[in-house]
Each structure stands twice: as C-alpha cells, then as structure tokens.
C-alpha cells in the first residue's frame, strides 16, 4: 500500500512537471504574465505605438477610445449600452426623457383659485358663470347645493296648479309631511340627474370630478327656475307669462349647464351640451311643463 501511494504521487508529480507545448509561431500566451507586461513587450503593461492586446487566438482586441468622440466635439456614447449584461445610461437632467410626459401617478393640476364663499358662489353662477365654474371645478359644493335645493323643493310644489290646490286644501298635519317629502325627493332627484350628467361627460372624454359636477348642476337647476317659481306662486303654473318665463329660464339653464360641463370637464360646448341633454329634458318635463 505504501508503494502504491508513492507510485501515485510519483506519477502525478511527473505529469505536473511535463513541459507544455509552445504556442504556434506569432502567438503569445494569454493571459499576460505577471507584472502587466507581455513577453518581449514593454514593462508596466503599456502598449506603445497604439498596439492592442491579442486574444488567445491571435486576433487583436479593440477596446476603442472612450474619449475620442468627446475630443471631436460629439457626445460620448457607450458602445456596450443596452446590450445584455450592461446598464443603460440615463441623463440626470430630465428624469422622464426628452419629449416624454409623465402620466401614471402624476399630480393633478392645482386649482384655478381659492374656494368661493357661498354668497360669491350663488351670485357667480348668474353673473360670472364661466369664471365661477372654472374656479370651483375642484371643490365640492355640497353645503350650498343641498341647502338651496331643499329650500327650492319646499316651494316647488306650489308652482304647479293641481299639487298646490291639494296641499292648500289638506290639513296641516298632512300638508307638512307632503311638502317635506317633496323637498327631499327633489334633492335626491337632482342629485341623480347630476350624476347622469357627470357620467355622460366622462363618456365623452371629460376629466372633471363628480362631486363638483353634481353639486353645481343642483345649483343650476334650482337657481334658474327661481324666477318662474316666484311668478307661479301668485299667477299659477298655467299662466302664459309663467310659461314664457319658464321657457326663457330653461334656455338659460341649458347655457349654464353647457358652460359648467365645459369648464369642469374640459370639453367643447357640443359635447358639454350633449352630456346635459338628459338633465335638461327632465327639468323641462318635471318642473317647467309639469307633465310628469
């Protein structure tokens, strides 16, 4: 056993000491020798005279001059960028790339102006509708909308001849719940119609929020019909003057609805008018004409 081990060690030592065959003529062993130089070359690993190192197959390797393009005035481009195993180089000046716009997760545009006081809001709907709707497109207006709509609903029933007679002839215990129920129903109905207008506006490509759209639509419904309601309380809903005022205020409501949807959703006026069509038809049928 001892001799066998000695024999194995002797054979292995003999194989390790066998000289290797010299490389073919004109080729140099790779990798280079310790010290950074090549046999027969210059010490220190330099390559004087512009010579390039050779690979194991005898072909020269060209690494290129990374500063050559900069010396010529052109920006440096990494020849290995965007290749497998290499990292793409990005500019730190523009985080989204030239000509590109960041969309996903981008912050919304700031409001046009501060929130209007309820007095300024109510007067602005009539006197400055364009500026008011544009400034309030990012603010909910539930407080003024619910209050004004509920107060209007309390009186709306007296603008129709038959419901007014029934309410006046009824007892107080019967009339009060009927009036309150009508006001609540008008609030809920106006909210539903405003939601329909908002949904149609979004279908047409609008970008507005639903709370300002619904709230402003409720204000438009109540404010624009107030002149007709005032005359209808004394003259009745069938009076010719009341009917004329009703048609005129309905056209005014159409103009305000179109302006509001256009400003709130960034839509052209034909699409804004189309988004308000269902609410306008309901307003004409239920309140102006009293056919439903």
């Amino acid at each position: 056993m001892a001799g066998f081990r000695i024999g194995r060690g002797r054979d292995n030592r003999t194989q390790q000491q066998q000289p290797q065959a010299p490389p073919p003529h004109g080729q140099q062993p790779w990798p280079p020798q310790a010290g950074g130089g090549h046999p027969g070359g210059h010490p220190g690993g330099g390559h004087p005279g512009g010579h390039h190192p050779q690979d194991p197959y005898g072909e020269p390797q060209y690494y290129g001059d990374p500063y050559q393009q900069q010396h010529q005035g052109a920006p440096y481009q990494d020849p290995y960028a965007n290749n497998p195993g290499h990292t793409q180089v990005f500019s730190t000046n523009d985080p989204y790339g030239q000509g590109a716009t960041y969309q996903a997760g981008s912050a919304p545009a700031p409001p046009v102006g501060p929130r209007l006081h309820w007095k300024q809001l109510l007067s602005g709907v009539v006197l400055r509708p364009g500026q008011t709707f544009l400034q309030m497109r990012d603010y909910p207006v539930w407080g003024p909308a619910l209050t004004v709509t509920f107060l209007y609903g309390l009186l709306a029933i007296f603008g129709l001849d038959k419901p007014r007679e029934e309410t006046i002839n009824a007892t107080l215990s019967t009339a009060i719940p009927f009036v309150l129920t009508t006001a609540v129903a008008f609030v809920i109905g106006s909210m539903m119609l405003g939601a329909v207008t908002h949904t149609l506006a979004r279908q047409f490509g609008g970008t507005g929020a639903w709370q300002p759209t619904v709230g402003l639509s409720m204000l438009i419904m109540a404010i624009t019909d107030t002149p007709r309601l005032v005359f209808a309380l004394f003259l009745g809903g069938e009076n010719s003057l009341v009917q004329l005022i009703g048609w005129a205020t309905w056209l005014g409501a159409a103009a305000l609805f179109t302006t509001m949807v256009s400003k709130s959703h960034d839509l052209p006026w034909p699409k804004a008018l189309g988004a308000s069509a269902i609410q306008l038809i309901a307003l004409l049928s239920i309140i102006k004409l009293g056919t439903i």
Side-chain angles (χ1 to χ4, degrees):
M1 293 297 294
F4 177 75
R5 292 194 184 97
I6 295 174
R8 287 189 57 181
R10 185 167 51 247
D11 293 339
N12 294 339
R13 186 169 55 253
T14 305
Q15 293 179 0
Q16 294 177 358
Q17 293 177 357
Q18 291 180 359
Q20 298 180 355
H25 180 70
Q27 297 183 1
Q28 297 179 357
W30 188 264
Q33 298 177 356
H38 290 274
H42 295 272
H47 303 286
H51 294 289
H52 299 275
Q54 295 180 346
D55 58 10
Y57 301 99
E59 298 295 335
Q61 293 183 351
Y62 297 94
Y63 295 97
D65 186 3
Y67 303 99
Q68 182 178 2
Q69 295 180 347
Q70 294 183 357
H71 294 166
Q72 295 177 357
Y76 168 67
Q77 296 181 355
D78 188 1
Y80 300 104
N82 302 328
N83 290 333
H86 298 275
T87 303
Q88 184 178 2
V89 180
F90 295 93
S91 174
T92 58
N93 296 329
D94 188 2
Y96 308 126
Q98 297 180 356
T101 303
Y102 182 68
Q103 296 291 341
S106 58
V112 177
R115 182 194 295 267
L116 296 176
H117 191 264
W118 67 270
K119 294 181 180 180
Q120 299 175 343
L121 174 61
L122 297 181
S123 62
V125 170
V126 180
L127 301 178
R128 302 174 302 275
Q131 179 62 29
T132 300
F133 295 146
L134 183 62
Q135 188 169 345
M136 295 299 293
R137 60 172 292 176
D138 298 310
Y139 300 106
V141 292
W142 291 120
L146 294 175
T147 302
V148 172
T149 305
F150 182 79
L151 293 177
Y152 172 84
L154 293 177
L155 301 176
I157 192 173
F158 298 99
L160 303 175
D161 293 338
K162 186 176 180 179
R164 179 179 60 181
E165 293 178 0
E166 294 178 355
T167 305
I168 293 176
N169 296 328
T171 60
L172 188 62
S173 60
T174 304
I176 292 178
F178 183 68
V179 171
L180 293 177
T181 302
T182 303
V184 173
F186 186 84
V187 171
I188 297 175
S190 61
M191 291 178 62
M192 295 175 61
L193 291 175
V196 171
T197 300
H198 169 74
T199 302
L200 291 177
R202 295 301 294 263
Q203 292 294 328
F204 292 156
T207 59
W210 75 275
Q211 296 187 60
T213 303
V214 175
L216 291 174
S217 67
M218 294 171 64
L219 288 177
I220 293 174
M221 288 185 62
I223 292 176
T224 54
D225 195 56
T226 300
R228 185 203 65 84
L229 181 60
V230 172
F231 284 90
L233 291 176
F234 301 98
L235 302 177
E238 300 295 333
N239 184 274
S240 58
L241 178 61
V242 174
Q243 293 289 326
L244 180 62
I245 296 176
W247 281 102
T249 54
W250 182 78
L251 294 177
L256 290 179
F257 274 120
T258 303
T259 304
M260 185 270 293
V261 176
S262 178
K263 298 296 184 180
S264 298
H265 289 266
D266 293 328
L267 289 175
W269 73 266
K271 292 185 177 181
L273 180 59
S276 309
I278 296 179
Q279 191 165 9
L280 286 172
I281 294 175
L283 180 62
L284 179 64
S285 302
I286 299 174
I287 297 178
K288 303 294 184 179
L289 301 180
T291 58
I292 299 180

